Amino acid sequence: MKQRLRRLLFEIEQLKRNKVQDFLLSIGLTPGQGQARILVSLASSEHVSQRKLADECMLDVTTMSRTLDRLEKKGLIERKRDPGCRRAYQISLTDAGRMKAEEVKEGFARLEEMLFDGFGQTEMRELSVKLEKIKDNLEGKMYEKQ
């Protein structure tokens, strides 16, 4: 049973990842670089420092810098010098970036609908509790060779 559940969780993650990759490619974003996360994060704020954005999106500074370069070349974001710190930049969305962020949000909402189609509130609550338990198990225990 454990092997079946492990396999099922893996297959679900792979299917979800494939759907997300196909969607991102269809709207001109590169999967796996955090572009979608960055756009959605920026959509909820006027402008933000590169450091804060990296923390919010859980990206290392180098990946963030390269990804911002790509988004800037696409005309989706703009960088402006932070008046309070001459070495820092404030990042914000362009009008095209705002439109792309909305497209990302809508696509992710469709994926969420697909994931939970046919689930009632009770089933979702029960599934949530069980998945939280798995997450807690992973966070709380070190893997040790027996």
Side-chain angles (χ1 to χ4, degrees), residues 88-134:
Y89 287 93
Q90 292 290 315
I91 315 299
S92 59
L93 291 174
T94 62
D95 289 339
R98 271 185 260 298
M99 289 172 50
K100 189 65 73 178
E102 283 305 311
E103 204 172 350
V104 168
K105 287 182 197 177
E106 289 168 11
F108 285 168
R110 285 193 307 273
L111 176 63
E112 193 172 281
E113 290 292 321
M114 185 186 305
L115 281 168
F116 300 110
D117 185 35
F119 279 77
Q121 288 292 56
T122 302
E123 290 173 303
M124 288 182 61
R125 207 172 8 265
E126 290 169 355
L127 179 60
S128 177
V129 167
K130 291 173 176 138
L131 291 173
E132 282 288 336
K133 187 173 184 177
I134 291 171

Side-chain angles (χ1 to χ4, degrees), residues 33-44 48 53-54 56-57 59 63-68 71 77 91 93 101:
Q33 295 180 354
Q35 292 179 350
R37 271 184 285 163
I38 291 168
L39 293 173
V40 170
S41 181
L42 286 171
S44 64
V48 65
L53 187 59
E56 285 177 9
C57 295
L59 294 169
T63 301
M64 176 60 73
S65 184
R66 283 192 306 251
T67 303
L68 290 176
L71 290 172
I77 63 142
I91 315 299
L93 291 174

Side-chain angles (χ1 to χ4, degrees), residues 130-141:
K130 291 173 176 138
L131 291 173
E132 282 288 336
K133 187 173 184 177
I134 291 171
K135 180 179 169 257
D136 291 346
N137 288 343
L138 288 171
E139 288 176 339
K141 297 179 182 174

Side-chain angles (χ1 to χ4, degrees), residues 3 7 11 15 35 84 87 96 108 138:
Q3 186 177 14
R7 178 101 180 132
E11 289 173 1
L15 288 166
Q35 292 179 350
R87 293 182 304 172
F108 285 168
L138 288 171

Side-chain angles (χ1 to χ4, degrees), residues 9-73:
L9 286 170
F10 175 78
E11 289 173 1
I12 290 168
E13 179 57 29
Q14 287 301 112
L15 288 166
K16 185 178 76 74
R17 183 175 294 157
N18 290 341
K19 295 277 185 201
V20 169
Q21 286 178 351
D22 291 347
F23 166 67
L24 292 176
L25 289 170
S26 78
I27 64 169
L29 295 177
T30 306
Q33 295 180 354
Q35 292 179 350
R37 271 184 285 163
I38 291 168
L39 293 173
V40 170
S41 181
L42 286 171
S44 64
S45 59
E46 191 67 28
H47 51 59
V48 65
S49 73
Q50 188 167 322
R51 170 92 241 143
K52 183 176 180 197
L53 187 59
D55 291 343
E56 285 177 9
C57 295
M58 295 178 282
L59 294 169
D60 66 78
V61 179
T62 305
T63 301
M64 176 60 73
S65 184
R66 283 192 306 251
T67 303
L68 290 176
D69 288 344
R70 289 184 182 103
L71 290 172
E72 191 171 34
K73 283 180 186 169

